[in-house]
Amino acid sequence: MKPLTIAIDGPVGAGKSTISDVVAQRLGILHLDTGAMYRAVGLAALNEGVDPGDEAAVCRLCREDGARVDVRYQNGKQVTLLNGKDVSDEIRTLTAGGAASAVSRYQPVRKMLVARQQAMARQQPMLLDGRDIGTVVLPDATVKIYLTASAEARALRRRNQLLEKGTDTPLETILAEVNARDYQDTHRAVDPLRQAEDAILVDSSDLSFEETVEKILSLVEEKR
Ligand code: DC
């Protein structure tokens, strides 16, 4: 039998990673945050002085093995490695997020990461979160969720997240960033963000963290 697979897609700041973490933990399965892998490629470009907007240069860097992304688990928690180095914290900045959004437009980058994600999901029951999990990575996922919230709610959550990490960014800056990323993620030519036809929409604008987790767990129970 195929291992259980849960696909959670949605726009930036919908709480996908944190919600997914808790849902996976409660189900006793691993969580793969696929955005972290795109962030690692974006960071590789920044570290090498390669413009993330320069497709040829980014793809060359990947071909020449300069953006090797690996994922390990330590006590059930994802550790993202770039060229063997743990970059789990470094990839969490706005700059790395912007670079990730840029490099995620390139087909060779997506092909490399999607293959890695599919191989991992074949090995064990897993919850994957991203933009194209239900549509491209795991079209046969056991359960598909499209998790979203209003741009304002997402910007506010993002601001609080950054504040917790000691960065005070004005709300307008984050809202502009959220809108720009929504546009870029939904309008790119290759595998844009969209809700899979068979995905269940969960709008968390008016739900608390716990309510969102419970809602998703009950949808998983129904589908299993
Ligand atoms: O979820 P995140 O903010 O960490 O993702 C960073 C960027 O990576 C996001 O702008 C779009 C891209 N991404 C993607 O194209 N496909 C995925 N499965 C996950 C993320």
Side-chain angles (χ1 to χ4, degrees):
M1 214 173 72
K2 272 196 321 165
L4 168 75
T5 44
I6 303 173
I8 301 192
D9 291 300
V12 66
K16 289 188 308 291
S17 328
T18 32
I19 297 275
S20 297
D21 245 353
V22 176
V23 170
Q25 229 174 53
R26 299 234 185 126
L27 292 168
I29 63 175
L30 292 179
H31 164 216
L32 177 61
D33 167 0
T34 62
M37 300 170 84
Y38 289 92
R39 283 171 179 267
V41 174
L43 184 68
L46 296 174
N47 287 349
E48 292 302 317
V50 167
D51 174 5
D54 183 342
E55 176 166 4
V58 170
C59 294
R60 192 175 328 116
L61 183 67
C62 292
R63 260 197 324 275
E64 290 171 356
D65 209 22
R68 201 165 16 89
V69 179
D70 289 298
V71 171
R72 304 254 178 285
Y73 286 89
Q74 231 163 45
N75 305 321
K77 229 179 125 39
Q78 176 174 340
V79 178
T80 307
L81 305 169
L82 172 62
N83 302 325
K85 181 181 165 228
D86 181 354
V87 292
S88 308
D89 291 329
E90 241 177 290
I91 54 176
R92 291 295 146 207
T93 60
L94 273 178
T95 328
S101 188
V103 303
S104 70
R105 291 175 299 166
Y106 311 144
Q107 183 71 275
V109 171
R110 304 202 67 83
K111 229 173 130 181
M112 167 177 93
L113 298 183
V114 166
R116 195 70 63 83
Q117 293 154 13
Q118 289 172 329
M120 288 178 76
R122 272 196 293 273
Q123 307 281 319
Q124 66 251 301
M126 260 200 155
L127 184 159
L128 280 75
D129 88 272
R131 304 292 193 285
D132 59 341
I133 310 301
T135 51
V136 177
V137 181
L138 302 172
D140 297 328
T142 322
V143 188
K144 296 183 188 178
I145 311 271
Y146 191 81
L147 180 64
T148 190
S150 68
E152 290 71 21
R154 290 185 280 127
L156 198 60
R157 287 180 196 157
R158 199 60 149 193
R159 176 172 149 74
N160 290 337
Q161 257 177 16
L162 290 169
L163 263 181
E164 271 172 30
K165 293 191 176 123
T167 317
D168 188 354
T169 317
L171 186 61
E172 309 79 73
T173 309
I174 300 180
L175 186 58
E177 175 81 14
V178 163
N179 284 326
R181 280 244 256 141
D182 279 358
Y183 188 87
Q184 197 167 105
D185 292 347
T186 52
H187 285 78
R188 68 172 178 231
V190 188
D191 303 336
L193 167 68
R194 65 180 175 85
Q195 183 179 345
E197 272 172 26
D198 50 351
I200 306 157
L201 179 77
V202 175
D203 186 330
S204 72
S205 305
D206 298 318
L207 296 180
S208 69
F209 183 86
E210 187 53 34
E211 284 168 338
T212 312
V213 168
E214 290 296 333
K215 169 101 192 146
I216 293 175
L217 283 172
S218 71
L219 291 171
V220 171
E221 273 320 304
E222 268 172 40
K223 280 271 182 176
R224 254 174 141 178

